[in-house]
Each structure stands twice: as structure tokens, then as C-alpha cells.
Amino acid sequence: MENPYVPYPVRIDRIITETEDRNLKTFRFVFLNPEDEAKFAYTPGQFAELSVAGKGEIPIGIASSPTEKGFVSFTVNKVGLVTTYLHNMKEGDVMGIRGPLGNWYPWDEMEGKNVVIVGGGFAFTTLRSSIVYMLEPENRPRFKDITVVYGARTPGMLLYKDELAAWEQRDDIHMHITVDGTDDPDWKYNVGFVPAIAEQKITSADNAIAIVCGPPIMIRFTQPVLEKLGFPPERIILSLEMRMKCGIGMCGRCNIGDKYVCKDGPVFSLAQLKQMPPEY
Amino acid sequence: MTDKVYGKEKWIQGLEGLKNDYKIYVPVKDGDFHAFMPMSEGKAPDFDYDNTRMSPKAVMYPESERLFEYSLDDADPEANILKESPKDFSPRAIVGIRPCDAHGFQIVNRNFDNPEYRDPWWVRRFGSTTLVGLGCNRPCSTCFCTAVGGGPFHEEWLDALMVDLGDRYLVKGLTDKGEGFLAKMTGGTPADEGAYKEAEALAEEASQKIVSSPPTDRLKDQKTTDLFNAPFWEEVAFGCLNCGTCTYLCPTCWCFDIQDEVFGKQGDRIRNWDSCMFPLFTLHGSGHNPRDQKFQRVRQRFMHKLKYYVDKYENGVQCSGCGRCVRYCPVNIDIRDICERMNNFESA
């Protein structure tokens, strides 16, 4: 019997400090047993439990794309016991990852549609995975226009800055990067909150599906913008966070009504959420 | 059929004879209460009991259990790699379990053994445990098994059933597992017509003693969000101390926590029972807590048992009617009242 609690052993291959406050780092892992990589076959939108012996496990969205081979990466915000310890670990250290867990963005449904991505702050991780996945040459024709609105508090708080700059140069993706505010005279992108920029830049809901990931306040103000544009709740997709332990729907804490965020989510449509108790 | 009648002493002698085949758990008197303990620990079984204070849940699903162990010694080439802790999955039997508690195992099994994931520890223990029930001749005032699909002599979830006929037990084999257990027992005489008749009369008498029957028929049709927003939750929760006794004693509560513990250069990953009554249960790393208020946690407990579970599994409520939470709640919160309010709720 397969034991779903056993993490795959991994080695930290690379650590990148993403933000100016040094609270967000991207960890790139390589599987100690190369055959585990195939077993860890994932789809953008899924998460995994990062397992640190002696400290515990944390549920984190997968930031790499399945089109990137040889590693899997996660961007981790330093907030608690495990994340603080992890931030002090070094390249070469051994830990574990358990997964992939949860559902994913509705890729079948997104095929042939315009894709609108709205992200805020450090919730951009599985959105990064999704963008890299869609931009892969063999996948790009499956989707129509790709529009991305991504914001952070300041330029220094944006994740994946090099990639953002590279995507800005491409003509097969419409990037709208924004910050809440900045005194940097060289800042060449937008200034304004994500919902306001979304309202300016997203022009149509026709044949479009929106994926929204960010802090609750951003989601709260983005939702009416999308609804005003004509996105029905079935085509507004959100990814939720919740305290988790098992990640497989057994430990009981991450439920919203009769759904477990770990197993039935973390991706839900707004239409689904409207049927569920507002307890998240 | 291996149904037999055993004199009470002979039955206990027979159980003692099975010590090499099974680890046998029996109810024993422990202070003011009863508890399930292994027979090998020297205390005499006491089958003349109402029910144990703690449910026998821990026999299959311990309060605290080591899942993995690992070395944190950098000199160890296997350092930081988790290894499954060895466990004993040899045959066990719980003898004298009440039908309601057997129902509890069945309910918990739906959580731990489902088409997507199987909890390996639960599945193996559940599979290797034989449940030899004991019919309830004298149900308590807090019992309501008959309202939730069971009964004081209900056989469905048991492998064998004992009926206390005063000076002897009628013991019926109900499954292959149960028959296998009884086949190894020494003593006993084939069950006679009279024994069955006596048992039937006792069963009839017992079910008449169960007077509370909270209705559950409308729970499925209630709208989740209506019940969630019902006006009575603050009132229901008013007296609650969030002590967690209800969830700890409950044979159907399955929630757990996973923690790492370190002893020098050796570490363990441990699973512990947890409780939705505690605010830490849902506290996010960010500080956000979707159930930071007491009434939200109380609502979660009842909504889970009486609505979410009902919708998810379409197999009744997540309650076996054992009445422990009613009996031991320090502020007298009564699931039967709340079930009735939820069931009969009319949204405005």
C-alpha cells in the first residue's frame, strides 16, 4: 500500500532571495532518487508539503512548471517555525517534499480561451508556474490572448523580476506590472492597486477565463471589477490558502463546508465558493 | 454457524486461551470508570458495564503515534531522511465493544480509507482487528443509537455479538473474521432455541429503553449556507468552554495534528489527535484564522457531524449515538437538541 505521508527526499539545489525585505526566497529542489521526479508529476496550480526533519511540514504552491525538468521549485514567505528554519537552510541540505497535492487550474476548460491572470504579492507562485507552462512553445497555441496583471507593494517586493522583464519583451503575452507606490524615478511600469489596474487593462470577458490569486483584500476588490467586465462566476477561478497538516483530506482542519481545501481545492471557481460557507 | 453459549467463567477462560492468537482488549474497571485495556495487563475483564468513558477509538487510532523517525546527525549518510516507524499489525480483538462504538469505527473508516487515499496505519489496524460486540441490556438515558441507524443489539458493524443472558453468554458469529475468532475459542455449547428467545426479548426490552430520538430526516435537504447562517449558533455556543472533551471522547471524531519532536540527534514525526474546538486548529501562518471565534468552532463541530458529513458520504450522520459528549460535557451541551434544531430549521 502506497503511504501518502512519506516525503520524497530532495536536496536544496539553489536558493534565490526574491524580495528586498529578504522574506521571500525561492528554493529549487532536486530529487535524491532521480526516479522520484517522474512520480512527482504535477500540474500548475497544485501544491506540496515541504518537509523539514525536526521541524515539520508546510503546504506551499508549486512555483516551477512541469515543462521545467530536473527540479521543482517553491517560493516561501518567512512567517512561522518551519519557514523560518527553511530560510536559514543552505544549498546542499537534504529535506523532503510530499505531493503533488490538490487540484489545479482548469486547463481543459482554459484551452481555446483568452486567459486573464490577476496576481498580487507573494501569491504569484502558482501563477508563475502557469505562465511558464502556457508560454512553452508546444502549449502556447492551445491558449488565445494571455493577459497578466501582477502587483506588489513596491518594485523590490515583486517576485521573479528577471522573468517579468523578459515577459514584458514578448508579444505573445500582455504584461501589466504594477506597484502600490514607489519613489523610484526609473520605474517604468504602472503605479496603482491591482484591482484599479485590472479595471484599466482588462478590456473584455469574451471567451475569457480569469485566474485570481492574491491577498484577501485584493481578491475582494478584484472580484467586482471582473464581474462588471462580464466574467460569470464560473469563469473566475481562485486559489485558496488554509492551515493544513496531512494534505490528503484526512486531518480535518482545512475544510470549508464539506470541501477540503487540500483535496477538493485549493482551486475553486467563484461559482463554487458562492455555494460554500464563507469561512476562509 | 458457530453460535454458542458459554458460561461466564468459561467465556473468560476461553479468551485467555486466545492470548497467543490475538491481542485482546476488554473493558476493565479503572477507578470510577471503565476503559478498554489489553487482557494481558492483569486486570480482570468486567463485561457488566454501561460503556467505557473513552471510546475504544485509540485501539485502532492511538491518541499519539510515531509515524516516522529520522537521524539529525550530519555524520549519518541517511540524516534528515524519514523512515517509517515499525508497528505491530498482528491480529487484535476488541471484546465487549458496544454496537455504537463499532459503528464509530465504520464512520471513521470512511475518512481514512477512501478511493483517493488510504491511511496505511489505520487501514492495516482496521483490517487486523476483530470486533466482538456486547449487546446493551441497559442503555443509558443519554443513548440514542436507534436514531442514527444503530441499536443496542445492532449487528451490522460487528464480527461477533455477545448477549448477556444473566449467567451465560450467547455468542453469535457474524462475519468470517468473527467465526474465525470463535472457532479458536474453547468451551461453549451449541446455541439452543431458548438462548435465542431470551436474547430477542432482551433486545426488544433494550430498544424500548432508548427514549431520545433526535430527528435527522431533513438534514440532507437543508441548504448548507442556511444552516451555517442559522441564528442559533451564538446561543448554542454560549456556555461552551472549548475544552475539547466532546471531540476527545467521541468515537467518530478523527481529526489529527502532525508534529515533529527532537530528542538530541534523533527525531520523530508524530500524529496526535486534534480538536476543532481549539483555535490553533485553523490558525494560518499569517495570523489569519477562519475560525477564531468560539461559536465558529462549535458550529464547525456540529455542521461537520450533522451536515457536511451527511452531504459528503450520503450515509447518515457522523455520530453513533453513544451519548458520551452529552454525558461528559461540563456545560451540558446536548448534540440531540442541536441535531433537532438543525433538522427542523426553517430559513427565514
Side-chain angles (χ1 to χ4, degrees):
Chain A
M1 195 187 323
E2 190 96 358
N3 186 335
Y5 298 95
V6 182
Y8 298 117
V10 293
R11 181 169 45 76
I12 302 177
D13 178 52
R14 226 174 116 191
I15 303 174
I16 301 160
T17 302
E18 295 282 356
T19 52
E20 63 188 1
D21 68 354
R22 308 180 64 78
N23 262 336
L24 282 142
K25 288 185 180 178
T26 296
F27 296 83
R28 177 188 272 210
F29 299 110
V30 171
F31 291 91
L32 285 194
N33 308 313
E35 66 274 17
D36 289 344
E37 188 182 345
K39 290 190 219 157
F40 192 87
Y42 62 96
T43 306
Q46 288 192 283
F47 72 98
E49 289 279 350
L50 306 189
S51 164
V52 180
K55 296 296 167 188
E57 295 186 315
I58 44 169
I60 306 285
I62 305 172
S64 51
S65 156
T67 54
E68 299 174 293
K69 300 294 179 198
F71 65 90
V72 54
S73 61
F74 300 83
T75 302
V76 180
N77 189 21
K78 189 170 82 176
V79 282
L81 177 85
V82 180
T83 55
T84 302
Y85 187 86
L86 180 58
H87 267 244
N88 290 321
M89 288 176 76
K90 296 181 298 293
E91 289 173 358
D93 286 351
V94 169
M95 48 181 281
I97 64 174
R98 187 159 69 78
L101 301 168
N103 67 353
W104 43 84
Y105 296 123
W107 294 105
D108 289 343
E109 217 183 308
M110 286 153 71
E111 200 149 334
K113 287 202 176 69
N114 298 314
V115 178
V116 171
I117 286 183
V118 183
F122 50 81
F124 197 60
T125 59
T126 58
L127 299 180
R128 186 248 168 220
S129 168
S130 303
I131 292 168
V132 172
Y133 175 75
M134 287 189 290
L135 291 181
E136 178 73 14
E138 68 177 47
N139 291 334
R140 186 63 191 86
R142 292 165 52 202
F143 308 97
K144 296 209 150 124
D145 283 359
I146 302 174
T147 306
V148 177
V149 178
Y150 171 44
R153 291 200 302 277
T154 62
M157 290 303 291
L158 289 162
L159 299 178
Y160 320 124
K161 293 177 194 68
D162 294 346
E163 282 179 310
L164 295 177
W167 294 336
E168 275 283 354
Q169 303 303 313
R170 296 175 67 130
D171 54 12
D172 59 351
I173 178 168
H174 308 293
M175 293 295 296
H176 304 287
I177 300 167
T178 185
V179 291
D180 296 352
T182 179
D183 47 17
D184 177 359
D186 297 328
W187 176 248
K188 46 183 192 253
Y189 307 118
N190 303 284
V191 176
F193 294 118
V194 166
I197 302 301
E199 191 161 18
Q200 286 171 30
K201 306 292 181 185
I202 303 167
T203 49
S204 163
D206 282 351
N207 192 33
I209 193 157
I211 303 180
V212 184
C213 228
I217 187 91
M218 186 208 89
I219 292 176
R220 175 142 39 105
F221 287 102
T222 302
Q223 203 175 296
V225 168
L226 294 173
E227 285 178 316
K228 208 169 102 190
L229 274 163
F231 282 91
E234 295 74 28
R235 286 197 272 120
I236 300 176
I237 310 297
L238 299 125
S239 178
L240 302 187
E241 286 195 321
M242 207 54 100
R243 184 186 179 101
M244 295 174 188
K245 290 286 175 173
C246 71
I248 55 174
M250 288 182 184
C251 80
R253 75 199 58 240
C254 73
N255 75 296
I256 304 173
D258 68 351
K259 301 280 185 286
Y260 286 113
V261 174
C262 69
K263 198 172 81 171
D264 306 306
V267 176
F268 295 95
S269 72
L270 186 57
Q272 283 176 302
L273 287 175
K274 284 184 169 179
Q275 301 295 315
M276 289 153 64
E279 197 175 52
Y280 45 90
Chain B
M1 288 284 267
T2 50
D3 293 3
K4 280 186 179 175
V5 171
Y6 297 82
K8 286 190 167 176
E9 305 251 309
K10 289 271 185 231
W11 172 251
I12 290 173
Q13 281 167 17
L15 292 178
E16 273 164 0
L18 294 188
K19 274 180 182 170
N20 295 328
D21 300 291
Y22 294 89
K23 186 170 185 182
I24 298 179
Y25 290 80
V26 287
V28 300
K29 188 117 179 24
D30 182 35
D32 290 339
F33 302 96
H34 282 81
F36 279 98
M37 289 187 189
M39 252 179 113
S40 52
E41 284 174 18
K43 286 204 173 184
D46 179 5
F47 292 114
D48 186 29
Y49 78 123
D50 291 333
N51 205 351
T52 51
R53 179 164 56 161
M54 294 282 286
S55 86
K57 179 168 71 178
V59 174
M60 263 187 253
Y61 171 38
E63 293 99 318
S64 195
E65 160 171 50
R66 183 185 291 139
L67 306 180
F68 298 101
E69 45 205 51
Y70 43 83
S71 160
L72 294 168
D73 184 350
D74 290 337
D76 186 336
E78 299 270 84
N80 299 305
I81 295 177
L82 274 60
K83 297 193 180 64
E84 220 176 298
S85 299
K87 291 196 195 299
D88 177 12
F89 296 111
S90 57
R92 298 165 178 219
I94 307 178
V95 179
I97 184 175
R98 295 300 186 187
C100 57
D101 287 339
H103 188 192
F105 283 134
Q106 209 54 237
I107 288 171
V108 175
N109 189 54
R110 291 196 181 101
N111 180 60
F112 282 127
D113 190 357
N114 63 61
E116 289 148 293
Y117 293 105
R118 306 186 82 197
D119 184 282
W121 302 292
W122 167 274
V123 168
R124 293 186 65 185
R125 275 203 202 97
F126 189 69
S128 62
T129 305
T130 303
L131 301 179
V132 180
L134 172 60
C136 293
N137 290 0
R138 38 165 211 272
C140 306
S141 63
T142 44
C143 288
F144 58 103
C145 53
T146 45
V148 293
F153 286 72
H154 198 83
E155 297 175 353
E156 186 179 353
W157 308 294
L158 292 165
D159 297 305
L161 177 71
M162 302 157 61
V163 180
D164 185 341
L165 303 177
D167 54 347
R168 64 207 203 284
Y169 297 113
L170 165 66
V171 185
K172 300 194 219 177
L174 303 170
T175 64
D176 288 349
K177 241 193 214 175
E179 301 262 356
F181 181 90
L182 297 177
K184 293 195 184 78
M185 285 278 283
T186 55
T189 52
D192 53 282
E193 194 71 14
Y196 286 113
K197 282 221 167 97
E198 273 180 71
E200 224 168 277
L202 285 167
E204 180 58 33
E205 198 184 322
S207 44
Q208 278 169 12
K209 281 184 189 151
I210 296 178
V211 287
S212 51
S213 61
T216 60
D217 56 309
R218 293 181 63 220
L219 290 168
K220 177 91 189 104
D221 297 329
Q222 294 279 16
K223 208 173 149 204
T224 298
T225 44
D226 285 349
L227 283 182
F228 187 86
N229 294 317
F232 50 70
W233 292 115
E234 294 265 13
E235 183 202 323
V236 164
F238 181 75
C240 178
L241 310 172
N242 269 182
C243 67
T245 298
C246 48
T247 54
Y248 203 67
L249 300 180
C250 179
T252 74
C253 274
W254 59 61
C255 293
F256 62 84
D257 187 19
I258 301 175
Q259 291 287 335
D260 280 38
E261 281 188 14
V262 174
F263 311 90
K265 291 196 166 176
Q266 202 270 324
D268 294 331
R269 183 157 291 169
I270 295 168
R271 161 154 79 184
N272 304 303
W273 289 358
D274 206 345
S275 171
C276 57
M277 291 294 104
F278 304 149
L280 265 180
F281 189 62
T282 48
L283 179 66
H284 291 205
S286 64
H288 172 65
N289 192 342
R291 294 198 278 268
D292 65 344
Q293 296 181 62
K294 180 177 75 175
F295 90 92
Q296 296 170 319
R297 299 192 286 276
V298 171
R299 174 173 62 189
Q300 161 64 18
R301 179 171 126 76
F302 291 114
M303 284 293 281
H304 187 206
K305 291 196 174 299
L306 304 173
K307 179 60 183 164
Y308 305 152
Y309 177 92
V310 171
D311 291 347
K312 194 179 176 80
Y313 295 102
E314 300 190 333
N315 218 320
V317 294
Q318 188 201 348
C319 174
S320 65
C322 75
R324 284 185 180 86
C325 61
V326 181
R327 211 169 320 144
Y328 296 106
C329 175
V331 300
N332 296 323
I333 292 174
D334 191 328
I335 192 171
R336 296 170 298 183
D337 295 343
I338 293 149
C339 185
E340 186 169 346
R341 289 171 91 159
M342 288 173 68
N343 189 74
N344 298 347
F345 181 65
E346 304 280 354
S347 69

